[in-house]
Amino acid sequence: MVVLDYGSGNVRSAVRMLERVGADVELTADRERALAADGLLVPGVGNFHACVDGLRAVDGEYLVEMRLAGGRPVLGICVGMQVMFETSTEPSASGPREGLGQWPGVVDRLPAQVVPHMGWNTVDVPAGSALFAGVEDERFYFVHSFAAQDWTLQPTPPFDAVAPLVTYAEHGARFVAAVENGPLWATQFHPEKSGDAGARLLRNWLDVL
Amino acid sequence: MPVATRVIPCLDVDAGRVVKGVNFENLRDAGDPVALARRYGEQGADELTFLDVTASSGDRETTYDVVRRTAEEVFIPLTVGGGVRTVADVDRLLRSGADKVGVNTAAIARPEFIDEVADRFGAQVLVLSADVRRCRPDGPPTDSGFEVTTHGGRRGTGLDALAWCAEAARRGAGEILLNSMDADGTKAGFDAELIAAVRALVDVPIIASGGAGAVEHFPPAVAAGADAVLAASVFHFGDLTIGQVKDALAAAGHAVRRSRATAAPAH
């Protein structure tokens, strides 16, 4: 398992939580190791533009692209999920950034009375989710002001055999809380900060690798 | 159900040991922070806050060590405040395993510090900690009648507390830890008037602090506008459990987190 090391912030917790559920984990930005790992976790703390810049500085776009092309699992967390969309409306003094564009859509500010959305919220899990198996009714820890609020990717033949599974949550509006789409999975919340429920969720990811 | 009201135990840490006294004076030793953090995690705490009250800078290394050891085994959000003065301090705490950093005096001295931290790490890491009291008759008045204090509430600044909270949120604070120095240590209830006044001005989450003494004190703080409730001594000395506080909040109609998940076994 590789946790992609591309900037500041607390990534120790993700490493430790993966270790706790039995993974052999390395925190690195090394290309070869990130490409070869059974699973690549893309964390993301802070601003959209800072994460995109940090990812590009370690060739993260190429790493994600190459892994997904080969069907090798990638899990994005928080802003590490947001960067998989086309772009974000989060203000940036140095202008907007393009995301990795793995999924269509724009990450937008939550229209809620209290923002950031900070704390433990429920999720609306679709039938058949492997990521949430056994923790469908748990609360998970969110910290974010922006989120993808529309899921527009509808697979067309011959790629429609396995449709993306989209989990929603609500804060001011419904937003995308998690996605299971082929080898690319992501959560807007922080499983590594979601106690035993988060541990089980990460274990579920390891189990499909 | 909406996002759950967070129940947060606060551990005052001095040179690696937990302490808490009435009005921050007459400190009493209440144990090992890592062991306490683990126990609170098991009890269902939604977050943990460490307030570093270490006076001597030479002893501050132990704080980073406590943060590191806590983050190794407790998988809920951890906020660390106290003595945070520079962007480098914030960076080091985050790298040690803190998720959020509480900033107090340094932001009063230089409000741009808030912008700098938010720009570098994102607004969600910065908790603006405000120690607030009603203006004293012998001190300078403020427009709102509330002033910001420093030195654990012993020193007034003449800064209008409501205007300060609004400014901090505008500059990029992701959350406000609102500590009522009038209520702190009284165990007579949270300062609902102060909470409601700040709620009317800011749209970032508010953590209510100061005055908790019984379970019935918690729901009025949430009704006044708090998104989270923080307490120290009532938890440390076993007067209340996290579960009892959540029961009281739930009975009053507020959403709380109750996890039934069990830790996944390592393969």
Side-chain angles (χ1 to χ4, degrees):
Chain A
M1 206 63 45
V2 162
V3 174
L4 192 62
D5 185 14
Y6 69 91
S8 55
N10 176 17
V11 289
R12 285 175 63 87
S13 298
V15 172
R16 276 292 301 130
M17 184 66 119
L18 282 169
E19 286 174 350
R20 180 186 165 200
V21 296
D24 179 8
V25 190
E26 189 178 8
L27 179 68
T28 181
D30 181 82
R31 265 168 78 121
E32 298 308 316
R33 304 196 64 87
L35 284 172
D38 292 333
L40 176 70
L41 189 148
V42 181
V45 173
N47 306 313
F48 184 87
H49 64 90
C51 284
V52 166
D53 291 353
L55 261 180
R56 294 221 157 97
V58 300
D59 240 351
E61 188 163 25
Y62 167 85
L63 292 173
V64 170
E65 192 80 42
M66 288 300 285
R67 287 189 61 92
L68 295 179
R72 299 178 72 72
V74 175
L75 178 69
I77 289 181
C78 198
V79 186
M81 167 174 173
Q82 295 180 5
V83 298
M84 300 302 171
F85 290 88
E86 289 170 294
T87 187
S88 169
T89 61
E90 184 169 353
S92 159
S94 47
R97 301 290 194 284
E98 280 187 20
L100 271 53
Q102 292 294 336
W103 294 323
V106 174
V107 175
D108 213 346
R109 188 173 169 86
L110 288 168
Q113 283 184 327
V114 176
V115 174
H117 173 218
M118 193 176 290
W120 301 76
N121 212 336
T122 54
V123 288
D124 187 6
V125 180
S129 166
L131 183 60
F132 288 91
V135 285
E136 299 88 345
D137 298 326
E138 293 288 332
R139 288 177 180 268
F140 295 89
Y141 190 80
F142 291 83
V143 189
H144 62 121
S145 301
F146 290 76
Q149 287 156 53
D150 292 303
W151 179 263
T152 57
L153 177 64
Q154 298 301 336
T156 52
F159 303 110
D160 57 346
V162 183
L165 290 176
V166 181
T167 293
Y168 291 95
E170 196 162 326
H171 186 69
R174 196 177 76 145
F175 67 89
V176 178
V179 178
E180 297 154 66
N181 175 212
L184 180 58
W185 291 13
T187 66
Q188 178 59 67
F189 55 84
H190 287 273
E192 80 280 16
K193 284 290 157 186
S194 294
D196 289 341
R200 174 66 194 270
L201 184 130
L202 286 176
R203 180 69 245 175
N204 287 344
W205 183 56
L206 296 184
D207 282 344
V208 301
L209 300 184
Chain B
M1 291 289 267
V3 63
T5 299
R6 287 168 282 150
V7 179
I8 307 173
C10 176
L11 286 68
D12 290 10
V13 179
D14 184 358
R17 298 286 294 173
V18 175
V19 287
K20 175 67 187 183
V22 175
N23 286 325
F24 295 0
E25 288 160 12
N26 307 315
L27 298 175
R28 280 168 66 185
D29 191 337
D32 169 31
V34 182
L36 265 178
R38 194 189 313 119
R39 200 185 80 196
Y40 285 130
E42 289 162 1
Q43 276 192 7
D46 297 309
E47 288 188 24
L48 292 168
T49 292
F50 284 170
L51 180 61
D52 182 11
V53 296
T54 309
S56 136
S57 59
D59 289 337
R60 292 186 62 87
E61 286 301 314
T62 59
T63 303
Y64 295 109
D65 182 53
V66 164
V67 171
R68 238 184 325 268
R69 287 189 292 122
T70 304
E72 289 281 310
E73 52 178 306
V74 183
F75 296 96
I76 57 176
L78 174 63
T79 301
V80 183
V84 176
R85 310 215 166 273
T86 65
V87 167
D89 291 341
V90 175
D91 189 42
R92 190 156 175 216
L93 283 170
L94 296 178
R95 288 181 180 280
S96 297
D99 299 287
K100 301 188 259 187
V101 171
V103 170
N104 189 336
T105 317
I108 297 169
R110 202 172 64 81
E112 299 78 20
F113 184 49
I114 298 171
D115 306 66
E116 292 164 14
V117 172
D119 286 348
R120 169 89 183 267
F121 305 103
Q124 81 292 335
V125 309
L126 197 146
V127 182
L128 188 280
S129 177
D131 294 339
V132 178
R133 72 179 181 194
R134 284 162 186 75
C135 295
R136 300 287 166 84
D138 56 345
T142 65
D143 287 348
S144 70
F146 290 102
E147 73 170 324
V148 178
T149 68
T150 59
H151 299 80
R154 292 190 303 274
R155 200 172 295 178
T157 63
L159 186 61
D160 188 310
L162 302 194
W164 171 236
C165 289
E167 179 182 348
R170 196 166 57 244
R171 285 181 178 275
E175 199 169 25
I176 291 177
L177 170 53
L178 187 60
N179 191 25
S180 168
M181 302 316 296
D182 295 325
D184 192 62
T186 65
K187 296 197 172 187
F190 289 93
D191 193 337
E193 184 190 1
L194 173 63
I195 296 164
V198 175
R199 174 78 292 160
L201 287 179
V202 306
D203 63 4
V204 300
I206 295 170
I207 305 167
S209 167
V215 288
E216 59 266 28
H217 292 154
F218 290 83
V222 180
D227 302 279
V229 286
L230 179 141
S233 50
V234 288
F235 292 136
H236 302 329
F237 296 114
D239 301 342
L240 300 178
T241 65
I242 303 289
Q244 287 169 338
V245 170
K246 289 192 174 184
D247 287 345
L249 289 170
H254 303 296
V256 295
R257 173 180 75 108
R258 299 197 195 270
S259 178
R260 281 171 301 280
T262 50
H267 280 201

